[in-house]
Amino acid sequence: MPETKLIIMSLEKPDLEGLKEAADVLRKGGLVVFPTETVYGLGADALNADAVKRVFDAKGRPPDNPLIVHIADRHQLIDLADEVPEKGQRLAKEFWPGPLTLVVKRTFLVPDIVTAGLDTVGIRMPDHPVALALIEEFEGGIVGPSANLSGRPSPTSAQHVMDDLKGKVDVVLNAGPTEIGIESTVLDVTVDPPVILRSGGLHKESIEDIIGPVRGATDIELLKRSPGTRHRHYAPRAQVVLVGEGNVQEFMKLLQEFRQQGKSVGCIVHSHELSKVESGDYFKVLPSPIEFFARYLFRTLRELDQGGAHVILVEQVAEGGLGTAVMDRLRRAAEPA
Ligand code: TXA
Ligand code: MG
């Protein structure tokens, strides 16, 4: 079992020694957790199948769930992508670095294990100085699933990473809490119109401004194109129950029911109406804007878990923009185990 080394990274001036050490670990097939603007990623050399296998093992990730590859420069696409359709190129130009993962046809250089045997690969350029500096220092693509145990909420701090993966990874680069707090948007550009396989930090509306209409994936398409999405996701240990936005009556009723069952209840709310109720054993308010809710959602789910909540009541948010990604995560977190 590796001893996990925590290296502190400043955002202004990433520590070169630490980066060199981390890149060296990657070259030797080891695992390096790195910060991105969305969540922390569990990094390994994308072209080294043994190293990638370690990523699946450390996370306990089902082998049918493909990994995305992080790059720091569009020239790196040459090794990884067989073809990037014109719409994909326009999006990359506009939004990279940023919270957009493009699914494209892959080259033979990308090991099967990365893509779970699919003929496509997901690629993104993260908007984070430490992530970009690490990729540059390593001089190659780095796989990066979220650095949590499979099924758990994604890590938005190095502490979350340590809670899940201490002793299972070689290095954790700690650059403080992540900015967006929710993962990237995954867009399949091998089809036209492109299909959103996972909503995320980049809004559908922003994508459509650049390339025109895109679609959401149907359930059948999701199974075929992104088989991993059917697995349980984003769930704290506590049971998550969703409450209608601003619905005080429903909120009080659920609260009472769970209390009567002797359960300790955590609450995450945002609206003016529910913020006033101030009830439950752990009561967290994540007021608007939605960016704030997104940034602190996974962190708060983990906190309430640690506090010992049996049930977490979460107030739903309005769909649209980042709200669509937040609701996607909430629905999945609330799915029965
Ligand atoms: O923001 C993010 O995307 C973070 C940071 C670390 O970059 N990474 C992340 O990775 O969330 P992961 O593995 O937790 O989620 C990647 C998603 C999964 O839903 C996976 O099924 C999908 O992307 N995916 C990856 N490659 C794919 C492919 N070739 N075809 C379809 N879906 C793919
Ligand atoms: Mg994940």
Side-chain angles (χ1 to χ4, degrees):
M1 201 157 99
E3 176 131 5
T4 300
K5 180 167 180 184
L6 194 63
I7 303 180
I8 308 242
M9 285 279 154
S10 108
L11 287 178
E12 288 73 39
K13 199 169 154 289
D15 148 29
L16 209 56
E17 282 308 301
L19 284 171
K20 278 198 167 41
E21 186 177 341
D24 224 37
V25 169
L26 291 173
R27 258 174 235 118
K28 291 184 180 132
L31 304 185
V32 174
V33 174
F34 59 98
T36 81
E37 79 281 33
T38 57
V39 301
Y40 276 76
L42 173 45
D45 178 353
L47 301 186
N48 177 341
D50 293 331
V52 175
K53 168 81 169 62
R54 275 183 213 121
V55 171
F56 279 89
D57 291 345
K59 278 184 64 90
R61 180 162 173 124
D64 65 354
N65 194 358
L67 305 184
I68 66 180
V69 179
H70 295 71
I71 60 174
D73 185 306
R74 272 190 285 157
H75 289 116
Q76 289 180 275
L77 283 170
I78 295 165
D79 278 350
L80 305 167
D82 202 26
E83 191 202 342
V84 181
E86 198 260 334
K87 285 186 181 175
Q89 290 184 29
R90 262 153 64 197
L91 291 172
K93 206 164 168 204
E94 184 72 26
F95 296 117
W96 280 359
L100 171 67
T101 297
L102 293 174
V103 171
V104 296
K105 290 271 185 251
R106 64 152 159 152
T107 65
F108 66 92
L109 283 177
V110 181
D112 278 344
I113 186 170
V114 171
T115 69
L118 298 173
D119 63 354
T120 56
V121 60
I123 303 178
R124 102 171 180 98
M125 191 188 294
D127 187 13
H128 194 289
V130 173
L132 292 172
L134 176 68
I135 299 164
E136 271 161 20
E137 190 61 38
F138 174 61
E139 297 183 315
I142 301 177
V143 291
S146 48
N148 51 280
L149 288 174
S150 199
R152 309 258 305 130
S154 295
T156 60
S157 75
Q159 185 57 53
H160 301 158
V161 174
M162 293 302 262
D163 290 345
D164 278 18
L165 297 176
K166 187 162 191 264
K168 296 182 167 184
V169 298
D170 300 290
V171 173
V172 175
L173 301 178
N174 180 0
T178 58
E179 173 75 21
I180 298 178
I182 283 205
E183 306 84 345
S184 64
T185 301
V186 180
L187 185 73
D188 185 343
V189 291
T190 65
V191 288
D192 198 16
V195 172
I196 294 183
L197 297 175
R198 177 179 73 183
S199 55
L202 181 66
H203 313 170
K204 180 178 184 220
E205 294 83 346
S206 310
I207 294 173
E208 292 188 324
D209 279 348
I210 304 298
I211 58 161
V214 297
R215 312 190 277 119
T218 63
D219 286 352
I220 292 170
E221 277 177 324
L222 270 186
L223 273 183
K224 212 172 80 194
R225 289 183 206 275
S226 198
T229 49
R230 73 186 156 79
H231 299 294
R232 186 168 159 80
H233 268 97
Y234 315 113
R237 294 192 179 82
Q239 180 191 353
V240 172
V241 178
L242 305 186
V243 183
E245 187 172 5
N247 194 334
V248 177
Q249 224 183 352
E250 184 190 16
F251 180 78
M252 294 310 291
K253 184 164 165 275
L254 284 167
L255 194 61
Q256 254 168 21
E257 271 172 26
F258 286 120
R259 281 267 179 76
Q260 271 161 14
Q261 294 168 20
K263 292 185 170 158
S264 81
V265 185
C267 304
I268 304 177
V269 304
H270 60 87
S271 72
H272 183 63
E273 292 88 339
L274 289 199
S275 305
K276 280 190 310 205
V277 173
E278 185 74 57
S279 192
D281 301 297
Y282 316 90
F283 194 83
K284 303 275 181 183
V285 182
L286 301 181
S288 60
I290 184 71
E291 283 74 17
F292 188 86
F293 194 97
R295 188 176 306 147
Y296 291 104
L297 174 63
F298 287 151
R299 163 183 297 264
T300 310
L301 288 174
R302 281 178 179 260
E303 270 171 22
L304 294 179
D305 241 358
Q306 270 180 348
H310 300 123
V311 180
I312 304 177
L313 298 182
V314 188
E315 182 178 11
Q316 292 177 268
V317 303
E319 297 272 352
L322 200 54
T324 306
V326 168
M327 277 310 298
D328 168 74
R329 306 305 187 270
L330 288 180
R331 279 194 211 97
R332 286 164 180 278
E335 273 167 20

